[in-house]
Coordinates of all heavy atoms in Angstrom, one line a residue:
M232 N 116.3 66.2 146.2 CA 115.2 66.8 145.4 C 115.8 67.1 144.0 O 116.8 67.8 143.9 CB 114.7 68.0 146.2 CG 113.7 68.7 145.4 SD 112.9 70.0 146.5 CE 111.3 69.2 146.6
P233 N 115.1 66.7 143.0 CA 115.6 67.0 141.6 C 115.4 68.5 141.3 O 114.5 69.1 141.8 CB 114.7 66.1 140.7 CG 113.5 65.8 141.5 CD 113.9 65.9 143.0
H234 N 116.3 68.9 140.4 CA 116.2 70.3 140.0 C 115.5 70.4 138.6 O 116.0 69.8 137.7 CB 117.6 70.9 139.9 CG 117.6 72.3 139.3 ND1 117.1 73.4 140.0 CD2 118.1 72.8 138.1 CE1 117.2 74.5 139.2 NE2 117.8 74.1 138.1
Y235 N 114.5 71.1 138.5 CA 113.7 71.2 137.3 C 114.0 72.6 136.7 O 114.1 73.6 137.4 CB 112.2 71.1 137.5 CG 111.8 69.7 138.0 CD1 111.5 69.5 139.3 CD2 111.8 68.7 137.1 CE1 111.2 68.3 139.8 CE2 111.5 67.4 137.6 CZ 111.1 67.2 138.9 OH 110.8 66.0 139.3
P236 N 114.2 72.7 135.4 CA 114.5 74.0 134.8 C 113.3 74.9 135.0 O 112.1 74.5 134.9 CB 114.8 73.7 133.3 CG 114.3 72.3 133.1 CD 114.2 71.6 134.4
T237 N 113.5 76.2 135.2 CA 112.4 77.1 135.4 C 111.9 77.5 134.0 O 112.6 77.5 133.0 CB 112.9 78.4 136.1 OG1 113.9 79.0 135.3 CG2 113.3 78.1 137.5
R238 N 110.6 77.7 134.0 CA 109.9 78.1 132.7 C 110.2 79.5 132.5 O 110.1 80.3 133.4 CB 108.4 77.8 132.8 CG 108.1 76.4 132.7 CD 106.6 76.2 132.5 NE 106.3 74.9 132.2 CZ 105.1 74.4 132.0 NH1 104.1 75.2 132.2 NH2 104.9 73.2 131.7
R239 N 110.4 79.9 131.2 CA 110.6 81.3 130.9 C 109.3 82.0 130.9 O 108.3 81.4 130.4 CB 111.2 81.4 129.5 CG 112.7 81.1 129.5 CD 113.3 81.3 128.1 NE 112.4 82.0 127.2 CZ 112.7 82.1 125.9 NH1 113.8 81.7 125.4 NH2 111.9 82.7 125.1
K240 N 109.3 83.2 131.5 CA 108.0 83.9 131.4 C 107.8 84.5 130.1 O 108.8 85.0 129.4 CB 108.1 85.1 132.4 CG 108.0 84.7 133.9 CD 108.0 86.0 134.7 CE 107.9 85.6 136.1 NZ 107.9 86.9 137.0
V241 N 106.6 84.4 129.6 CA 106.3 85.1 128.3 C 105.7 86.4 128.7 O 104.8 86.5 129.4 CB 105.3 84.3 127.5 CG1 104.8 85.0 126.3 CG2 105.8 82.9 127.2
R242 N 106.4 87.5 128.2 CA 106.0 88.8 128.5 C 104.8 89.2 127.7 O 104.9 89.1 126.4 CB 107.1 89.8 128.2 CG 108.2 89.8 129.1 CD 109.2 90.8 128.7 NE 109.6 90.5 127.3 CZ 110.8 90.8 126.8 NH1 111.7 91.3 127.5 NH2 111.0 90.5 125.5
P243 N 103.7 89.5 128.3 CA 102.5 89.9 127.5 C 102.8 91.3 126.9 O 103.1 92.2 127.7 CB 101.4 89.9 128.4 CG 102.0 90.0 129.8 CD 103.4 89.4 129.7
I244 N 102.8 91.4 125.6 CA 103.1 92.7 125.0 C 101.8 93.1 124.1 O 101.4 92.3 123.3 CB 104.3 92.6 124.1 CG1 105.5 92.3 124.9 CG2 104.5 93.9 123.3 CD1 106.8 92.2 124.1
N245 N 101.4 94.3 124.3 CA 100.3 94.8 123.5 C 100.9 95.6 122.4 O 101.5 96.6 122.7 CB 99.3 95.6 124.4 CG 98.1 96.1 123.6 OD1 98.1 96.2 122.4 ND2 97.1 96.5 124.4
P246 N 100.7 95.2 121.2 CA 101.4 96.0 120.1 C 100.9 97.4 120.0 O 101.7 98.3 119.5 CB 101.0 95.2 118.8 CG 99.8 94.4 119.2 CD 99.9 94.1 120.6
H247 N 99.7 97.7 120.4 CA 99.2 99.1 120.3 C 99.9 100.0 121.3 O 99.8 101.2 121.2 CB 97.7 99.1 120.5 CG 97.0 98.4 119.4 ND1 96.8 98.8 118.1 CD2 96.4 97.1 119.4 CE1 96.2 98.0 117.4 NE2 95.9 96.9 118.2
K248 N 100.5 99.4 122.4 CA 101.1 100.2 123.4 C 102.6 100.2 123.3 O 103.3 100.7 124.2 CB 100.7 99.7 124.8 CG 99.2 99.9 125.1 CD 98.9 99.4 126.4 CE 97.4 99.6 126.7 NZ 97.0 99.2 128.0
L249 N 103.2 99.8 122.2 CA 104.6 99.7 122.1 C 105.3 101.1 121.7 O 106.5 101.2 121.8 CB 105.0 98.7 121.0 CG 105.0 97.2 121.4 CD1 105.2 96.3 120.2 CD2 106.0 97.0 122.5
A250 N 104.5 102.0 121.2 CA 105.1 103.3 120.7 C 105.9 103.9 121.9 O 105.4 104.0 123.0 CB 104.0 104.2 120.3
L251 N 107.1 104.4 121.5 CA 108.0 105.0 122.4 C 108.6 104.1 123.5 O 109.2 104.6 124.4 CB 107.4 106.3 123.0 CG 107.0 107.4 122.0 CD1 106.4 108.6 122.7 CD2 108.2 107.8 121.1
S252 N 108.4 102.8 123.4 CA 109.0 101.9 124.4 C 110.5 101.7 124.0 O 110.9 101.9 122.9 CB 108.3 100.6 124.4 OG 108.3 99.9 123.2
K253 N 111.3 101.4 125.0 CA 112.8 101.3 124.9 C 113.2 99.8 124.9 O 112.6 99.0 125.7 CB 113.5 102.0 126.0 CG 113.1 103.5 126.0 CD 113.7 104.1 127.3 CE 113.3 105.6 127.4 NZ 113.7 106.2 128.6
W254 N 114.1 99.4 124.0 CA 114.6 98.1 123.9 C 116.1 98.0 123.7 O 116.7 98.9 123.1 CB 113.9 97.4 122.7 CG 112.4 97.3 122.9 CD1 111.5 98.2 122.6 CD2 111.7 96.2 123.5 NE1 110.2 97.8 123.0 CE2 110.3 96.6 123.6 CE3 112.1 95.0 124.0 CZ2 109.4 95.7 124.1 CZ3 111.1 94.2 124.6 CH2 109.8 94.5 124.6
T255 N 116.7 96.9 124.3 CA 118.1 96.7 124.1 C 118.3 95.4 123.4 O 117.7 94.3 123.8 CB 118.8 96.6 125.5 OG1 118.6 97.8 126.2 CG2 120.3 96.3 125.4
A256 N 119.1 95.4 122.3 CA 119.4 94.2 121.6 C 120.4 93.4 122.4 O 121.4 93.9 122.9 CB 120.0 94.6 120.2
V257 N 120.2 92.1 122.5 CA 121.1 91.2 123.2 C 122.5 91.2 122.5 O 123.5 91.3 123.0 CB 120.6 89.8 123.4 CG1 121.6 88.9 124.0 CG2 119.3 89.9 124.3
V258 N 122.4 91.0 121.1 CA 123.5 91.1 120.3 C 123.4 92.3 119.5 O 122.4 92.6 118.8 CB 123.5 89.8 119.3 CG1 124.7 89.9 118.3 CG2 123.6 88.5 120.1
A259 N 124.5 93.2 119.5 CA 124.4 94.5 118.8 C 124.2 94.3 117.3 O 124.7 93.4 116.7 CB 125.7 95.2 119.0
L260 N 123.3 95.2 116.8 CA 123.0 95.2 115.4 C 123.7 96.4 114.8 O 123.4 97.5 115.1 CB 121.5 95.4 115.1 CG 120.6 94.3 115.8 CD1 119.1 94.8 115.7 CD2 120.8 93.0 115.2
N261 N 124.7 96.2 113.9 CA 125.5 97.2 113.3 C 126.1 98.1 114.4 O 126.1 99.3 114.4 CB 124.7 98.1 112.4 CG 124.3 97.3 111.2 OD1 125.0 96.4 110.7 ND2 123.2 97.7 110.6
K262 N 126.6 97.5 115.5 CA 127.2 98.2 116.7 C 126.2 99.1 117.4 O 126.6 100.0 118.1 CB 128.4 99.0 116.2 CG 129.5 98.1 115.6 CD 130.7 99.0 115.3 CE 131.8 98.1 114.7 NZ 133.0 98.9 114.3
E263 N 125.0 98.8 117.3 CA 123.9 99.5 118.0 C 123.2 98.6 118.9 O 122.8 97.5 118.5 CB 122.9 100.1 117.0 CG 123.6 101.1 116.0 CD 122.8 101.3 114.8 OE1 122.0 100.5 114.4 OE2 123.0 102.4 114.2
K264 N 123.0 99.0 120.1 CA 122.3 98.1 121.1 C 120.9 98.7 121.6 O 120.0 98.0 122.0 CB 123.2 97.9 122.3 CG 124.3 96.9 122.0 CD 125.0 96.5 123.3 CE 124.1 95.5 123.9 NZ 124.7 94.6 124.9
H265 N 120.8 100.0 121.7 CA 119.7 100.7 122.3 C 118.8 101.2 121.2 O 119.2 102.0 120.3 CB 120.1 101.8 123.2 CG 120.9 101.3 124.3 ND1 122.3 101.4 124.4 CD2 120.6 100.6 125.4 CE1 122.7 100.8 125.5 NE2 121.7 100.3 126.1
F266 N 117.5 100.8 121.3 CA 116.5 101.2 120.3 C 115.2 101.7 120.9 O 114.9 101.4 122.1 CB 116.1 100.0 119.4 CG 117.3 99.4 118.6 CD1 118.2 98.6 119.1 CD2 117.4 99.8 117.3 CE1 119.3 98.1 118.3 CE2 118.4 99.4 116.5 CZ 119.3 98.5 117.0
L267 N 114.5 102.5 120.2 CA 113.2 103.1 120.6 C 112.2 102.8 119.5 O 112.5 102.9 118.3 CB 113.4 104.6 120.7 CG 112.3 105.4 121.2 CD1 112.1 105.1 122.7 CD2 112.6 106.9 121.0
V268 N 111.0 102.3 119.9 CA 109.9 102.1 119.0 C 109.4 103.4 118.6 O 108.8 104.1 119.4 CB 108.8 101.1 119.6 CG1 107.7 101.0 118.6 CG2 109.4 99.8 120.0
T269 N 109.6 103.8 117.4 CA 109.1 105.1 116.9 C 107.8 105.1 116.3 O 107.1 106.1 116.2 CB 110.1 105.7 115.9 OG1 110.3 104.8 114.8 CG2 111.4 106.0 116.6
R270 N 107.4 103.9 115.8 CA 106.1 103.8 115.1 C 105.6 102.4 115.1 O 106.3 101.4 115.0 CB 106.3 104.2 113.7 CG 105.0 104.3 112.8 CD 105.3 105.0 111.5 NE 106.1 104.2 110.6 CZ 105.7 103.5 109.5 NH1 104.4 103.6 109.2 NH2 106.5 102.8 108.8
V271 N 104.3 102.2 115.3 CA 103.6 101.0 115.1 C 103.0 101.0 113.7 O 102.2 101.9 113.4 CB 102.5 100.8 116.2 CG1 101.7 99.5 115.9 CG2 103.1 100.8 117.6
V272 N 103.5 100.1 112.9 CA 103.0 100.2 111.5 C 101.6 99.7 111.4 O 101.3 98.6 111.8 CB 103.9 99.3 110.6 CG1 103.5 99.3 109.1 CG2 105.4 99.7 110.7
P273 N 100.7 100.6 110.9 CA 99.3 100.2 110.8 C 99.1 99.1 109.7 O 99.8 99.1 108.7 CB 98.6 101.5 110.4 CG 99.6 102.4 109.8 CD 100.9 101.9 110.4
P274 N 98.1 98.2 110.0 CA 97.9 97.2 109.0 C 97.2 97.8 107.7 O 96.7 98.9 107.8 CB 96.9 96.2 109.7 CG 96.3 97.0 110.8 CD 97.3 98.1 111.2
I275 N 97.2 97.0 106.7 CA 96.6 97.5 105.4 C 95.1 97.7 105.6 O 94.6 98.7 105.1 CB 96.8 96.4 104.3 CG1 98.3 96.3 104.0 CG2 96.1 96.8 103.0 CD1 98.7 95.1 103.1
S276 N 94.4 96.9 106.3 CA 93.0 97.0 106.6 C 92.8 97.1 108.1 O 93.5 96.5 108.9 CB 92.3 95.7 106.1 OG 91.0 95.7 106.5
P277 N 91.9 98.0 108.5 CA 91.6 98.1 109.9 C 91.2 96.8 110.6 O 91.2 96.7 111.8 CB 90.5 99.2 110.0 CG 90.4 99.8 108.7 CD 91.1 98.9 107.7
D278 N 90.7 95.9 109.8 CA 90.2 94.6 110.4 C 91.4 93.7 110.7 O 91.2 92.7 111.5 CB 89.3 93.9 109.4 CG 88.0 94.8 109.1 OD1 87.7 95.6 109.9 OD2 87.5 94.6 108.0
L279 N 92.6 93.9 110.2 CA 93.7 93.1 110.4 C 94.5 93.5 111.6 O 94.5 94.7 112.0 CB 94.6 93.1 109.2 CG 94.0 92.6 107.9 CD1 95.0 92.8 106.7 CD2 93.7 91.1 108.0
P280 N 95.2 92.5 112.3 CA 95.9 92.9 113.5 C 97.2 93.6 113.1 O 97.7 93.5 112.0 CB 96.2 91.6 114.1 CG 96.2 90.6 113.0 CD 95.2 91.1 112.0
V281 N 97.8 94.3 114.1 CA 99.1 95.0 113.9 C 100.2 93.9 113.8 O 100.2 92.9 114.6 CB 99.4 95.9 115.1 CG1 100.8 96.4 115.0 CG2 98.4 97.0 115.1
E282 N 101.1 94.0 112.8 CA 102.1 93.0 112.6 C 103.5 93.5 112.8 O 104.4 92.8 113.2 CB 102.0 92.3 111.2 CG 100.7 91.5 111.1 CD 100.7 90.3 112.0 OE1 101.7 89.7 112.2 OE2 99.6 89.9 112.4
E283 N 103.7 94.8 112.5 CA 105.1 95.3 112.4 C 105.2 96.6 113.2 O 104.3 97.4 113.4 CB 105.5 95.6 111.0 CG 105.6 94.3 110.1 CD 106.0 94.6 108.7 OE1 105.6 95.6 108.2 OE2 106.8 93.8 108.2
I284 N 106.5 96.9 113.6 CA 106.8 98.1 114.3 C 108.1 98.7 113.7 O 108.8 97.9 112.9 CB 107.1 97.9 115.8 CG1 108.2 96.8 116.0 CG2 105.9 97.5 116.5 CD1 108.9 96.8 117.3
E285 N 108.4 99.9 113.9 CA 109.6 100.5 113.4 C 110.5 100.8 114.6 O 110.0 101.5 115.6 CB 109.3 101.8 112.7 CG 110.5 102.5 112.1 CD 110.2 103.7 111.2 OE1 109.0 103.9 111.0 OE2 111.1 104.4 110.9
L286 N 111.7 100.3 114.6 CA 112.6 100.6 115.7 C 113.7 101.5 115.2 O 114.2 101.4 114.1 CB 113.4 99.3 116.1 CG 112.7 98.3 117.0 CD1 113.5 97.1 117.2 CD2 112.4 98.9 118.4
Q287 N 114.1 102.5 116.0 CA 115.1 103.4 115.6 C 116.3 103.3 116.6 O 116.1 103.4 117.8 CB 114.5 104.9 115.6 CG 115.5 105.9 115.2 CD 114.9 107.3 115.1 OE1 114.1 107.6 116.0 NE2 115.3 108.1 114.2
A288 N 117.5 103.2 116.1 CA 118.7 103.2 116.9 C 118.9 104.5 117.6 O 118.7 105.6 116.9 CB 119.9 102.8 116.1
V289 N 119.2 104.6 118.8 CA 119.3 105.8 119.6 C 120.6 106.6 119.1 O 120.5 107.8 118.9 CB 119.4 105.5 121.1 CG1 119.7 106.8 121.9 CG2 118.1 104.9 121.6
I290 N 121.7 105.9 118.9 CA 122.9 106.6 118.5 C 122.9 107.1 117.1 O 123.1 108.3 116.8 CB 124.1 105.6 118.7 CG1 124.2 105.2 120.1 CG2 125.4 106.2 118.1 CD1 124.8 106.2 121.0
S291 N 122.6 106.3 116.1 CA 122.7 106.7 114.7 C 121.4 107.2 114.1 O 121.4 107.9 113.1 CB 123.2 105.5 113.9 OG 122.2 104.5 113.8
G292 N 120.2 106.8 114.7 CA 119.0 107.2 114.1 C 118.5 106.3 113.0 O 117.5 106.6 112.4
R293 N 119.3 105.3 112.7 CA 118.9 104.3 111.7 C 117.6 103.6 112.1 O 117.5 103.2 113.3 CB 120.0 103.3 111.5 CG 119.8 102.3 110.3 CD 121.0 101.4 110.2 NE 121.1 100.5 111.4 CZ 120.5 99.4 111.6 NH1 119.6 99.0 110.6 NH2 120.6 98.7 112.7
S294 N 116.7 103.4 111.2 CA 115.4 102.7 111.5 C 115.4 101.4 110.8 O 115.9 101.2 109.7 CB 114.3 103.6 111.0 OG 114.2 104.7 111.7
V295 N 114.7 100.5 111.4 CA 114.4 99.1 110.9 C 113.0 98.7 111.2 O 112.5 99.0 112.3 CB 115.5 98.1 111.4 CG1 115.4 98.0 112.9 CG2 115.3 96.8 110.8
V296 N 112.3 98.1 110.3 CA 111.0 97.6 110.5 C 111.1 96.1 110.7 O 111.7 95.4 110.0 CB 110.1 97.9 109.3 CG1 108.7 97.3 109.5 CG2 110.0 99.4 109.1
L297 N 110.4 95.6 111.8 CA 110.4 94.2 112.1 C 109.1 93.8 112.7 O 108.3 94.6 113.2 CB 111.6 93.8 112.9 CG 111.7 94.4 114.3 CD1 111.5 93.4 115.4 CD2 113.1 95.0 114.4
P298 N 108.7 92.5 112.7 CA 107.5 92.0 113.4 C 107.6 92.3 114.9 O 108.6 92.0 115.5 CB 107.5 90.5 113.1 CG 108.4 90.3 112.0 CD 109.4 91.4 112.0
W299 N 106.5 92.8 115.5 CA 106.6 93.2 116.9 C 106.7 91.9 117.8 O 107.3 92.0 118.9 CB 105.3 94.0 117.3 CG 104.0 93.2 117.3 CD1 103.1 93.1 116.3 CD2 103.5 92.4 118.4 NE1 102.1 92.3 116.7 CE2 102.3 91.9 118.0 CE3 104.0 92.1 119.7 CZ2 101.5 91.0 118.8 CZ3 103.2 91.3 120.5 CH2 102.0 90.8 120.0
R300 N 106.4 90.8 117.3 CA 106.5 89.5 118.1 C 108.0 89.2 118.3 O 108.3 88.4 119.2 CB 105.7 88.4 117.4 CG 104.3 88.5 117.6 CD 103.5 87.4 117.0 NE 102.1 87.5 117.2 CZ 101.2 88.1 116.5 NH1 101.7 88.8 115.4 NH2 100.0 88.2 116.7
D301 N 108.9 89.7 117.5 CA 110.3 89.4 117.7 C 110.8 90.0 119.0 O 111.7 89.5 119.6 CB 111.1 90.0 116.6 CG 111.1 89.3 115.3 OD1 110.3 88.2 115.2 OD2 111.7 89.7 114.3
L302 N 110.1 91.0 119.5 CA 110.5 91.6 120.8 C 110.2 90.7 122.0 O 110.8 90.9 123.1 CB 109.8 92.9 121.0 CG 110.1 94.0 120.0 CD1 109.2 95.2 120.3 CD2 111.6 94.4 120.0
Q303 N 109.4 89.6 121.8 CA 109.1 88.7 122.9 C 110.3 87.7 123.1 O 110.3 86.9 124.1 CB 107.8 88.0 122.6 CG 106.6 88.9 122.7 CD 105.3 88.1 122.4 OE1 105.2 87.4 121.5 NE2 104.3 88.4 123.3
D304 N 111.2 87.6 122.1 CA 112.3 86.6 122.2 C 113.4 87.2 123.2 O 114.1 88.1 122.8 CB 112.9 86.4 120.8 CG 113.9 85.3 120.8 OD1 114.2 84.7 121.8 OD2 114.4 85.1 119.7
D305 N 113.5 86.6 124.3 CA 114.5 87.0 125.3 C 115.9 86.8 124.9 O 116.8 87.4 125.4 CB 114.3 86.2 126.7 CG 113.0 86.7 127.4 OD1 112.6 87.9 127.2 OD2 112.5 85.9 128.2
A306 N 116.1 85.9 123.9 CA 117.5 85.7 123.4 C 117.9 86.8 122.5 O 119.1 86.9 122.2 CB 117.5 84.3 122.7
R307 N 117.0 87.6 122.0 CA 117.3 88.7 121.1 C 117.1 90.1 121.7 O 117.8 91.1 121.3 CB 116.5 88.6 119.8 CG 116.9 87.3 119.1 CD 116.1 87.1 117.8 NE 116.2 88.2 116.9 CZ 115.4 88.5 115.9 NH1 114.4 87.7 115.7 NH2 115.6 89.5 115.1
W308 N 116.1 90.3 122.5 CA 115.7 91.6 123.0 C 115.4 91.6 124.5 O 114.8 90.7 125.0 CB 114.4 92.1 122.3 CG 114.6 92.3 120.8 CD1 114.3 91.4 119.8 CD2 115.3 93.4 120.2 NE1 114.7 92.0 118.6 CE2 115.3 93.2 118.8 CE3 115.8 94.6 120.7 CZ2 115.8 94.1 117.9 CZ3 116.3 95.5 119.8 CH2 116.3 95.2 118.4
H309 N 115.8 92.7 125.2 CA 115.4 93.0 126.5 C 114.6 94.3 126.6 O 115.0 95.3 125.9 CB 116.6 93.2 127.4 CG 117.4 91.9 127.6 ND1 116.9 90.8 128.3 CD2 118.6 91.6 127.2 CE1 117.8 89.9 128.3 NE2 118.9 90.3 127.7
Q310 N 113.6 94.3 127.4 CA 112.8 95.6 127.5 C 113.5 96.6 128.3 O 114.1 96.2 129.4 CB 111.4 95.3 128.0 CG 110.4 96.4 127.9 CD 109.0 96.0 128.2 OE1 108.8 95.0 128.8 NE2 108.1 96.8 127.8
G311 N 113.5 97.8 127.9 CA 114.3 98.9 128.6 C 115.7 98.9 128.1 O 116.1 98.2 127.2
W312 N 116.4 99.9 128.6 CA 117.8 100.1 128.2 C 118.7 99.5 129.3 O 118.8 100.1 130.4 CB 118.2 101.5 128.0 CG 117.5 102.1 126.7 CD1 117.0 101.3 125.7 CD2 117.3 103.4 126.4 NE1 116.5 102.1 124.7 CE2 116.6 103.4 125.1 CE3 117.5 104.6 127.0 CZ2 116.2 104.6 124.5 CZ3 117.1 105.8 126.3 CH2 116.5 105.8 125.1
V313 N 119.3 98.4 129.0 CA 120.2 97.7 130.0 C 121.6 98.1 129.8 O 122.1 98.2 128.7 CB 120.0 96.2 129.8 CG1 120.8 95.4 130.9 CG2 118.5 95.8 129.9

């Protein structure tokens, strides 16, 4: 029987429910791996969808703003603190 590669699951993420969620970077960013979503950046107009979130490093408190869709990339982020 041939072996077929398994399909990666796409995690459904609702950007409005990301606030205070925990994330682990697969590759450390500035020696920081554990992050918390501190803010969902509101769009310029209420008619536009949410595009960005603010992540804060747990250790240093440094914040970075990035597109929320980046969190769906399993090669870069894991949900929760691993």
